[in-house]
PDB file of all heavy atoms in Angstrom:
ATOM      1  N   GLY A 138      10.829  71.822 -17.976  1.00  0.00           N
ATOM      2  CA  GLY A 138      10.062  70.636 -17.622  1.00  0.00           C
ATOM      3  C   GLY A 138      10.596  69.900 -16.420  1.00  0.00           C
ATOM      4  O   GLY A 138       9.935  69.015 -15.882  1.00  0.00           O
ATOM      5  N   GLY A 139      11.802  70.224 -15.984  1.00  0.00           N
ATOM      6  CA  GLY A 139      12.319  69.740 -14.708  1.00  0.00           C
ATOM      7  C   GLY A 139      13.205  68.514 -14.749  1.00  0.00           C
ATOM      8  O   GLY A 139      14.027  68.317 -13.841  1.00  0.00           O
ATOM      9  N   LYS A 140      13.103  67.668 -15.763  1.00  0.00           N
ATOM     10  CA  LYS A 140      13.852  66.411 -15.736  1.00  0.00           C
ATOM     11  C   LYS A 140      15.359  66.604 -15.862  1.00  0.00           C
ATOM     12  O   LYS A 140      16.132  65.757 -15.408  1.00  0.00           O
ATOM     13  CB  LYS A 140      13.354  65.485 -16.850  1.00  0.00           C
ATOM     14  CG  LYS A 140      11.950  64.954 -16.633  1.00  0.00           C
ATOM     15  CD  LYS A 140      11.545  63.996 -17.739  1.00  0.00           C
ATOM     16  CE  LYS A 140      10.142  63.462 -17.516  1.00  0.00           C
ATOM     17  NZ  LYS A 140       9.710  62.544 -18.608  1.00  0.00           N
ATOM     18  N   ALA A 141      15.774  67.701 -16.486  1.00  0.00           N
ATOM     19  CA  ALA A 141      17.204  67.973 -16.646  1.00  0.00           C
ATOM     20  C   ALA A 141      17.664  69.120 -15.760  1.00  0.00           C
ATOM     21  O   ALA A 141      18.783  69.616 -15.927  1.00  0.00           O
ATOM     22  CB  ALA A 141      17.519  68.280 -18.111  1.00  0.00           C
ATOM     23  N   ALA A 142      16.839  69.526 -14.798  1.00  0.00           N
ATOM     24  CA  ALA A 142      17.163  70.700 -13.976  1.00  0.00           C
ATOM     25  C   ALA A 142      18.479  70.529 -13.219  1.00  0.00           C
ATOM     26  O   ALA A 142      19.263  71.479 -13.088  1.00  0.00           O
ATOM     27  CB  ALA A 142      16.023  70.985 -12.999  1.00  0.00           C
ATOM     28  N   HIS A 143      18.736  69.327 -12.710  1.00  0.00           N
ATOM     29  CA  HIS A 143      19.974  69.108 -11.952  1.00  0.00           C
ATOM     30  C   HIS A 143      21.196  69.193 -12.858  1.00  0.00           C
ATOM     31  O   HIS A 143      22.268  69.633 -12.408  1.00  0.00           O
ATOM     32  CB  HIS A 143      19.931  67.756 -11.243  1.00  0.00           C
ATOM     33  CG  HIS A 143      19.791  66.585 -12.161  1.00  0.00           C
ATOM     34  ND1 HIS A 143      18.657  66.356 -12.907  1.00  0.00           N
ATOM     35  CD2 HIS A 143      20.659  65.570 -12.476  1.00  0.00           C
ATOM     36  CE1 HIS A 143      18.824  65.242 -13.625  1.00  0.00           C
ATOM     37  NE2 HIS A 143      20.016  64.764 -13.385  1.00  0.00           N
ATOM     38  N   ILE A 144      21.055  68.827 -14.112  1.00  0.00           N
ATOM     39  CA  ILE A 144      22.166  68.946 -15.061  1.00  0.00           C
ATOM     40  C   ILE A 144      22.401  70.409 -15.419  1.00  0.00           C
ATOM     41  O   ILE A 144      23.543  70.878 -15.500  1.00  0.00           O
ATOM     42  CB  ILE A 144      21.861  68.105 -16.318  1.00  0.00           C
ATOM     43  CG1 ILE A 144      21.880  66.616 -15.952  1.00  0.00           C
ATOM     44  CG2 ILE A 144      22.849  68.412 -17.440  1.00  0.00           C
ATOM     45  CD1 ILE A 144      21.452  65.692 -17.072  1.00  0.00           C
ATOM     46  N   ILE A 145      21.327  71.149 -15.621  1.00  0.00           N
ATOM     47  CA  ILE A 145      21.446  72.584 -15.888  1.00  0.00           C
ATOM     48  C   ILE A 145      22.163  73.268 -14.727  1.00  0.00           C
ATOM     49  O   ILE A 145      23.084  74.075 -14.927  1.00  0.00           O
ATOM     50  CB  ILE A 145      20.046  73.200 -16.099  1.00  0.00           C
ATOM     51  CG1 ILE A 145      19.388  72.615 -17.352  1.00  0.00           C
ATOM     52  CG2 ILE A 145      20.129  74.727 -16.198  1.00  0.00           C
ATOM     53  CD1 ILE A 145      17.910  72.913 -17.481  1.00  0.00           C
ATOM     54  N   GLU A 146      21.763  72.959 -13.509  1.00  0.00           N
ATOM     55  CA  GLU A 146      22.375  73.561 -12.313  1.00  0.00           C
ATOM     56  C   GLU A 146      23.852  73.190 -12.218  1.00  0.00           C
ATOM     57  O   GLU A 146      24.686  74.022 -11.831  1.00  0.00           O
ATOM     58  CB  GLU A 146      21.628  73.092 -11.069  1.00  0.00           C
ATOM     59  CG  GLU A 146      22.112  73.711  -9.769  1.00  0.00           C
ATOM     60  CD  GLU A 146      21.886  75.211  -9.703  1.00  0.00           C
ATOM     61  OE1 GLU A 146      20.862  75.689 -10.244  1.00  0.00           O
ATOM     62  OE2 GLU A 146      22.739  75.911  -9.113  1.00  0.00           O
ATOM     63  N   ARG A 147      24.184  71.977 -12.577  1.00  0.00           N
ATOM     64  CA  ARG A 147      25.570  71.489 -12.472  1.00  0.00           C
ATOM     65  C   ARG A 147      26.524  72.340 -13.298  1.00  0.00           C
ATOM     66  O   ARG A 147      27.690  72.525 -12.919  1.00  0.00           O
ATOM     67  CB  ARG A 147      25.612  70.032 -12.936  1.00  0.00           C
ATOM     68  CG  ARG A 147      26.953  69.341 -12.818  1.00  0.00           C
ATOM     69  CD  ARG A 147      26.837  67.912 -13.339  1.00  0.00           C
ATOM     70  NE  ARG A 147      25.837  67.158 -12.587  1.00  0.00           N
ATOM     71  CZ  ARG A 147      25.142  66.126 -13.076  1.00  0.00           C
ATOM     72  NH1 ARG A 147      25.336  65.741 -14.331  1.00  0.00           N
ATOM     73  NH2 ARG A 147      24.271  65.496 -12.327  1.00  0.00           N
ATOM     74  N   HIS A 148      26.041  72.881 -14.403  1.00  0.00           N
ATOM     75  CA  HIS A 148      26.919  73.621 -15.326  1.00  0.00           C
ATOM     76  C   HIS A 148      26.599  75.112 -15.347  1.00  0.00           C
ATOM     77  O   HIS A 148      26.924  75.805 -16.319  1.00  0.00           O
ATOM     78  CB  HIS A 148      26.797  73.024 -16.724  1.00  0.00           C
ATOM     79  CG  HIS A 148      27.181  71.579 -16.797  1.00  0.00           C
ATOM     80  ND1 HIS A 148      28.462  71.139 -16.595  1.00  0.00           N
ATOM     81  CD2 HIS A 148      26.411  70.463 -17.004  1.00  0.00           C
ATOM     82  CE1 HIS A 148      28.497  69.810 -16.693  1.00  0.00           C
ATOM     83  NE2 HIS A 148      27.268  69.379 -16.937  1.00  0.00           N
ATOM     84  N   ARG A 149      26.032  75.629 -14.284  1.00  0.00           N
ATOM     85  CA  ARG A 149      25.570  77.017 -14.260  1.00  0.00           C
ATOM     86  C   ARG A 149      26.687  78.027 -14.477  1.00  0.00           C
ATOM     87  O   ARG A 149      26.451  79.126 -14.970  1.00  0.00           O
ATOM     88  CB  ARG A 149      24.820  77.331 -12.974  1.00  0.00           C
ATOM     89  CG  ARG A 149      25.635  77.415 -11.735  1.00  0.00           C
ATOM     90  CD  ARG A 149      25.007  78.286 -10.622  1.00  0.00           C
ATOM     91  NE  ARG A 149      23.595  78.136 -10.399  1.00  0.00           N
ATOM     92  CZ  ARG A 149      22.739  79.144 -10.578  1.00  0.00           C
ATOM     93  NH1 ARG A 149      23.172  80.335 -11.003  1.00  0.00           N
ATOM     94  NH2 ARG A 149      21.465  78.973 -10.317  1.00  0.00           N
TER      95      ARG A 149
END
Side-chain angles (χ1 to χ4, degrees):
K140 291 183 180 179
H143 60 293
I144 292 174
I145 296 167
E146 183 65 35
R147 183 181 301 153
H148 300 293
R149 71 155 42 242

